[in-house]
Amino acid sequence: MGPLNSKYFWKIATGGVRVGLVTVDPTINAIVDSGTSLLGGPENVVATIAEQIGAQSIGNGLYVLECNYDDLPDVAFSLGDRNYTLGPHDYLWESETSKVCLFGVFGCDMPFWILGDLFMRKYYTVFDAANMRLGFALAVHKECDPSVCATE
């Protein structure tokens, strides 16, 4: 991906955020944070994205919507010279008790994005501290053998 632009965070410059074919945040910074479960972004930008996908606010920067995976656009982050795309199956968290999904992007009062576990689940992340840079690759997830992974 490229070099960090902060020595205090895993902070990188981005080329923007797209929802479908529409750029919703042209040039921003992002931090990559394994201590954050979701994605976080500037309140006004997340509110715009939520409106575009038909999500409703439930307060505290969180949104919910119907789990219509086939009708929702991709969300893409431009990092370096590549786009890292998250589809609805990546950014929606389905409730076990209803057909309502949590939009995995929260809005908060900050001028940058947080690429948390939701991003890193899809994109393997290399934290190269020695060279102060980050690297990303599409993660490979193998199905787990139930006899090995079963929990009782």
Side-chain angles (χ1 to χ4, degrees):
M1 176 13 249
L4 300 177
N5 61 8
S6 170
K7 64 180 180 178
Y8 302 107
F9 297 101
W10 292 98
K11 185 177 175 185
I12 52 177
T14 73
V17 178
R18 273 194 353 261
V19 176
L21 300 175
V22 177
T23 299
V24 294
D25 202 354
T27 305
I28 51 159
N29 287 307
I31 63 170
V32 181
D33 181 24
S34 61
T36 302
S37 298
L38 305 174
L39 300 178
E43 287 174 310
N44 62 327
V45 177
V46 173
T48 298
I49 295 170
E51 182 178 331
Q52 288 179 347
I53 66 169
Q56 302 296 314
S57 174
I58 58 171
N60 295 321
L62 297 172
Y63 296 85
V64 294
L65 67 159
E66 289 186 33
C67 303
N68 295 328
Y69 295 96
D70 295 335
D71 298 332
L72 295 170
D74 290 340
V75 175
F77 290 85
S78 177
L79 306 172
D81 60 351
R82 300 189 66 191
N83 288 320
Y84 295 86
T85 302
L86 299 170
H89 283 86
D90 301 313
Y91 65 71
L92 293 181
W93 286 17
E94 194 166 342
S95 166
E96 293 180 16
T97 58
S98 71
K99 293 191 178 199
V100 175
C101 282
L102 175 69
F103 181 42
V105 183
F106 65 89
C108 53
D109 185 21
M110 61 187 171
F112 55 87
W113 283 83
I114 299 173
L115 304 179
D117 296 340
L118 189 146
F119 179 85
M120 289 185 280
R121 202 171 293 119
K122 182 163 185 179
Y123 295 103
Y124 178 79
T125 304
V126 176
F127 295 92
D128 183 355
N131 295 302
M132 291 192 60
R133 63 184 182 169
L134 286 164
F136 303 107
L138 188 61
V140 176
H141 298 279
K142 294 183 179 182
E143 291 296 321
C144 188
D145 180 343
S147 66
V148 175
C149 297
T151 57
E152 295 181 23

